[in-house]
Amino acid sequence: MCGIVGYVGKDNAKSVLVESLKRLEYRGYDSAGVALLTDEGIRTFKKVGKIRDFQVELNKINLYSNIGIAHTRWATHGKPVINNAHPHLSCDGKVALVHNGIIENYSSLKEELLSKGHNFVSDTDTEVIVHLIEEELKSENSFFSAFLKALSRLKGSFAISVITVLEPDKVFCARKDSPLVVGLGDGENFVASDVPAFLPYTNRVVFLEDGEVAVLSKDEVSFYDFSGVPLSKEVMTVPWSISQAEKGGYKHFMLKEIYEQPKAVADAIRGNSGWFEEGAPLDFNFEQLEGIHIVACGTSYHAGLIAKFYIESFSRVPVNVDYASEFRYRDPVISDKTLIVGITQSGETADTLAALRLGKERGATTLAICNVIGSTATREADGTIYTYAGPEISVASTKAFTTQLTSLFLFALWLGKVRGALKQEEFESLYGELLELPSKLESFLNTERKEGTVKELALNFYKAKDVLYLGRHVNYPIALEGALKLKEISYIHAEGYPSGEMKHGPIALIDERMPVIFLATKGRVYEKVVSNMEEVKARKGKVISVLNPSCKEANNLTDYPIYVPEVNEFLSPILNVVPLQLFAYYIADFLGYEVDQPRNLAKSVTVE
Ligand code: AGP
């Protein structure tokens, strides 16, 4: 996830900015850059790779300035190369800008700006913003009004900081759906995407909300809405240490990442909705597609199992899902009309890479569903769909999973459309429901933050020896994922099963000590799941259910309900998994384990 820093004050901006960028390193990045306002105009410096190497280079440059902006880039549009690193400059070099987020309408804006003679040097969506400001300056009478005018034309998410020779003592900032916080110092002011950046200098902060602008100078900060109406904002004092601040005040990265899911899912939707207008996510004759093999490991494999439902239901293309580690040993049937889809958060999982390579060797086209730009899977596959989760630091995958599902849901909708299997009204209704998903995730998480239902449940069950997870249809893989999360971080034995399979064996395990977690939200198998709940109840099992408030029958059979908002059954896995992630998290935390770094596990498994 990109990091932004801006500074205006009494010190050497170069050192302040680079030190501040170092404190944002935990967010993940592939390149960094700084722009400083000097008597000779704006000077920019950029480097691909580590900030400490960048700092060594900058230390050799004799340059003093009290005002500047800086950025760590985690590539989304365009590879991690110098030209794509921020800050980006206007054609005349008078404006420099850093950005975090995704500009959805960048293609059309770029076309328009190119036709007006602007010269682009990067492949990023960001660069359109700085040219747009430059263009608006031609007709507006102040930099501020040109800045606001440019903002009004942007679609998507952004946190922006800008400096300009036209207002040499100010840093202009704006926020929409991407975090930005102002730090108030004494004779100096800061802006950053996260508090740790400036915490050694000040803990007095103002959090910008969506649709707000801040203009920083050395001695004051003014706030406005996007129409330029002044706002008065509350100043808060954050009592955090730097390490607490890196986690946004959360105790662990895992909890932070769970709570980031509404935004991550919204970013995955934004980042992957372009195909409906701009065409295929990869060069392949989709009309002749005969079958898809999905290959993946762990949590990504569970995303693959759900993707099978999406793709087969929406596009009628047959899908096989394999553990990547098994795929190459079973001599799969592959042709040049086959698509091999490798789902991998890291893009570095050895088994998934090997499975993709095998597909390629046998003449198939390969597609990576990946979160890390420039990773091996994205370089080797014929095409990539990025999941836009931002860096996931906790070993236990959470937001990477929900964004994989979101991206795969969109891919299946797109495939259904191009293959003519999905009617326009079905498409519109499913897509419309997807757009509402981030706010439903937010609503569940806000309620959990206030009421702590899952936390309390974890307190009741953290001494359990075994836990059984049951679900059907698209929620059977969620039962597997819930069990995997619990095993990974709490070391409690857990199993996921399709609930209809229980009577064929696992039912023997059920007694009054066995917690059984049901995925019992509304959908085509709801009544069937209710019958399976009866079977557990009859054997005195303790029933915990993830259900909707309207699920009366399930509620009557449940000892410990967790209510989630009602969504389309195909989207329910993306919501239902969240309480299971929280349940595993709190149990591991109550047991006192290293939640973010569980024993024996690595974030990416690069060996077979
Ligand atoms: C998830 O919580 C795990 N850490 C693990 O199962 C992971 O999903 C698996 O190793 C695959 O990783 P990838 O998505 O980076 O390929």
Side-chain angles (χ1 to χ4, degrees):
M1 223 157 15
C2 307
I4 286 179
V5 191
Y7 174 77
V8 49
K10 51 198 177 188
D11 272 344
N12 184 348
K14 186 178 73 172
S15 322
V16 175
L17 290 169
V18 177
E19 285 299 329
S20 302
L21 281 187
K22 277 162 96 180
R23 286 184 290 275
L24 293 183
E25 275 191 297
Y26 71 92
R27 294 165 69 90
Y29 65 99
D30 45 57
S31 52
V34 171
L36 300 165
L37 234 160
T38 72
D39 293 341
E40 285 84 49
I42 294 175
R43 299 272 311 272
T44 58
F45 307 91
K46 302 178 184 187
K47 186 158 179 75
V48 174
K50 290 286 153 210
I51 294 179
R52 59 175 177 275
D53 300 330
F54 187 37
Q55 189 171 32
V56 171
E57 279 181 19
L58 284 176
N59 284 345
K60 293 182 197 150
I61 298 163
N62 194 7
L63 184 76
Y64 195 84
S65 159
N66 295 120
I67 175 166
I69 51 176
H71 190 262
T72 41
R73 175 170 188 258
W74 200 71
T76 55
H77 290 71
K79 292 192 178 110
V81 293
I82 287 278
N83 274 5
N84 290 337
H86 305 204
H88 290 288
L89 289 173
S90 55
C91 296
D92 61 9
K94 289 184 179 169
V95 186
L97 173 141
V98 290
H99 162 232
N100 187 5
I102 298 168
I103 303 301
E104 284 166 34
N105 57 336
Y106 87 99
S107 309
S108 57
L109 288 174
K110 190 167 177 175
E111 238 170 77
E112 176 190 323
L113 290 160
L114 281 169
S115 74
K116 290 182 174 159
H118 287 262
N119 184 26
F120 282 78
V121 296
S122 78
D123 304 320
T124 63
D125 52 335
T126 299
E127 200 186 350
V128 297
I129 315 172
V130 72
H131 290 287
L132 196 56
I133 298 173
E134 183 175 37
E135 188 58 33
E136 299 298 349
L137 273 167
K138 291 179 186 162
S139 51
E140 293 297 315
N141 52 16
S142 72
F143 182 81
F144 186 55
S145 55
F147 180 61
L148 295 182
K149 196 83 186 288
L151 295 182
S152 72
R153 304 231 21 228
L154 300 178
K155 287 194 186 138
S157 62
F158 50 85
I160 295 170
S161 286
V162 184
I163 51 169
T164 173
V165 295
L166 306 170
E167 296 267 11
D169 54 357
K170 292 193 175 113
V171 179
F172 295 82
C173 316
R175 168 195 164 135
K176 185 183 164 264
D177 293 331
S178 193
L180 208 54
V181 54
V182 170
L184 303 173
D186 183 12
E188 57 185 355
N189 288 306
F190 307 79
V191 64
S193 23
D194 213 348
V195 175
F198 52 68
L199 209 48
Y201 305 94
T202 180
N203 63 357
R204 295 178 62 236
V205 306
V206 178
F207 289 96
L208 288 193
E209 301 299 333
D210 288 342
E212 291 183 352
V213 163
V215 182
L216 284 66
S217 57
K218 184 169 157 299
D219 295 311
E220 67 171 335
V221 182
S222 313
F223 299 94
Y224 306 88
D225 67 14
F226 276 9
S227 354
V229 176
L231 300 171
S232 91
K233 296 278 297 170
E234 189 192 348
V235 179
M236 291 168 68
T237 303
V238 288
W240 302 333
S241 67
I242 290 194
S243 120
Q244 283 170 316
E246 282 181 351
K247 296 177 190 127
Y250 291 98
K251 192 170 175 191
H252 296 99
F253 281 111
M254 181 176 175
L255 191 58
K256 177 173 181 255
E257 286 159 6
I258 290 172
Y259 273 89
E260 279 171 353
Q261 288 178 110
K263 179 175 181 310
V265 166
D267 284 346
I269 298 172
R270 277 194 199 103
N272 288 316
S273 290
W275 315 318
F276 299 108
E277 276 148 34
E278 289 155 22
L282 92 158
D283 191 11
F284 180 73
N285 187 344
F286 281 96
E287 270 152 39
Q288 288 194 3
L289 175 64
E290 281 179 354
I292 294 179
H293 285 291
I294 294 181
V295 288
C297 304
T299 289
S300 296
Y301 171 77
H302 299 152
L305 292 176
I306 297 169
K308 177 179 165 76
F309 287 94
Y310 292 169
I311 296 169
E312 292 188 339
S313 302
F314 304 161
S315 76
R316 309 308 299 153
V317 174
V319 180
N320 280 308
V321 191
D322 280 77
Y323 281 117
S325 54
E326 290 292 314
F327 184 67
R328 63 183 141 153
Y329 301 110
R330 76 163 176 84
D331 197 12
V333 180
I334 297 172
S335 78
D336 60 354
K337 295 193 177 73
T338 308
L339 185 65
I340 311 280
V341 178
I343 308 176
T344 167
Q345 183 283 133
S346 62
E348 303 296 348
T349 300
D351 289 319
T352 309
L353 292 176
L356 281 167
R357 284 173 196 145
L358 174 83
K360 219 171 184 176
E361 268 163 37
R362 302 235 183 138
T365 297
T366 54
L367 174 67
I369 311 291
C370 190
N371 193 34
V372 181
I373 293 223
S375 58
T376 308
T378 69
R379 293 197 308 273
E380 293 189 4
D382 297 305
T384 300
I385 291 176
Y386 287 106
T387 52
Y388 300 99
E392 191 179 65
I393 293 162
S394 163
V395 166
S397 195
T398 53
K399 63 177 181 168
F401 176 66
T402 43
T403 55
Q404 283 168 346
L405 290 178
T406 305
S407 309
L408 286 158
F409 183 86
L410 279 162
F411 174 61
L413 285 186
W414 176 83
L415 195 59
K417 262 192 108 179
V418 294
R419 305 256 311 175
L422 198 61
K423 292 196 200 84
Q424 182 62 18
E425 37 311 354
E426 289 171 326
F427 164 77
E428 278 168 17
S429 145
L430 287 162
Y431 186 65
E433 292 188 71
L434 177 68
L435 294 181
E436 285 173 21
L437 191 60
S439 63
K440 297 205 168 159
L441 284 161
E442 187 88 62
S443 139
F444 169 74
L445 285 165
N446 282 342
T447 309
E448 178 57 31
R449 205 193 287 272
K450 277 190 233 121
E451 295 174 6
T453 309
V454 181
K455 189 171 180 180
E456 204 181 309
L457 194 67
L459 197 56
N460 277 310
F461 287 101
Y462 76 99
K463 291 190 178 146
K465 292 275 169 282
D466 309 271
V467 180
L468 191 58
Y469 290 74
L470 299 174
R472 295 185 90 141
H473 188 242
V474 284
N475 279 300
Y476 156 53
I478 294 302
L480 296 177
E481 175 60 10
L484 178 67
K485 279 300 78 101
L486 191 68
K487 281 183 270 206
E488 278 189 296
I489 58 172
S490 75
Y491 320 139
I492 292 174
H493 169 248
E495 277 193 69
Y497 255 90
S499 49
E501 261 302 290
M502 193 182 51
K503 57 187 171 295
H504 300 289
I507 201 163
L509 294 169
I510 303 211
D511 63 15
E512 62 282 358
R513 283 162 306 170
M514 173 67 103
V516 184
I517 303 189
F518 276 95
L519 281 317
T521 46
K522 281 284 164 79
R524 71 192 68 191
V525 291
Y526 170 68
E527 281 80 16
K528 302 284 170 202
V529 174
V530 170
S531 309
N532 301 139
M533 292 171 92
E534 304 260 18
E535 292 159 7
V536 171
K537 252 341 242 186
R539 284 152 189 89
K540 300 198 172 66
K542 292 217 166 52
V543 174
I544 301 164
S545 301
V546 176
L547 71 179
N548 308 125
S550 62
C551 297
K552 294 211 174 48
E553 305 75 4
N555 206 17
N556 290 340
L557 295 163
T558 299
D559 301 301
Y560 302 91
I562 306 168
Y563 299 108
V564 291
E566 200 163 327
V567 292
N568 180 291
E569 63 177 327
F570 285 105
L571 293 170
S572 65
I574 307 178
L575 192 54
N576 292 353
V577 74
V578 179
L580 305 191
Q581 295 167 344
L582 284 168
F583 184 66
Y585 167 79
Y586 285 119
I587 287 197
D589 191 37
F590 287 139
L591 290 169
Y593 294 134
E594 272 287 340
V595 174
D596 286 331
Q597 248 124 35
R599 70 185 182 203
N600 306 339
L601 297 179
K603 185 66 188 160
S604 56
V605 184
T606 54
V607 291
E608 191 188 348

